[in-house]
Amino acid sequence: MLIRYATEKVLGSLPLVLLYVLCFTELNFESLFYVQFFSFNLNAMLIYFWVLKSPHTMGSGHIFFANLINDVVLGLPLGTSPLTYLVLAFVATYIKSATIHPKLTTDWLAFIPAIFFSYMVNLFVIVKFSDLTIVYNDILRNSFFTFLFFPIFYYLFNLYLITFQRKDA
């Protein structure tokens, strides 16, 4: 009984562990497979899905702290990534409360304004508070592929949610 409970707790917290691993290491598709054209934001998809479907798994404090570490790893002004992803989480929270019958198509289409507002906050903070150069084509490509690949990760995350997380948690 105790082993089963501990296993459920460990497996139930894997999305949070994945968030911290992604923020500590800044793993992405480009660095793993040496592909320059494709880049997508797995952090955004991870945060959006789990805040939308299971908000108790990934809270705002974890999102803030993990992405504060991400700023240190990337050398961005402190607070850029946390603000970006908290805006994404707040949009996901609003969508969760406004949606009556959530399904893939509504969540996917609602992901567009979530990405838009979070990237606008990101760009605003970088432009106003740093001297970093911004390549707008890279941001546009990244947001396009993040939107395009969202259904694939939605399916994988949903499969994980159904398999490893309890409904009453």
Side-chain angles (χ1 to χ4, degrees), residues 1-13 164 166:
M1 178 77 168
L2 182 63
I3 294 173
R4 181 177 178 205
Y5 177 75
T7 305
E8 285 179 3
K9 282 297 191 186
V10 168
L11 290 176
S13 63
F164 292 113
R166 296 187 330 204

Side-chain angles (χ1 to χ4, degrees), residues 69-88:
I69 293 168
N70 191 30
D71 283 346
V72 172
V73 169
L74 291 176
L76 293 173
L78 284 180
T80 304
S81 296
L83 282 174
T84 301
Y85 292 116
L86 283 175
V87 166
L88 184 76

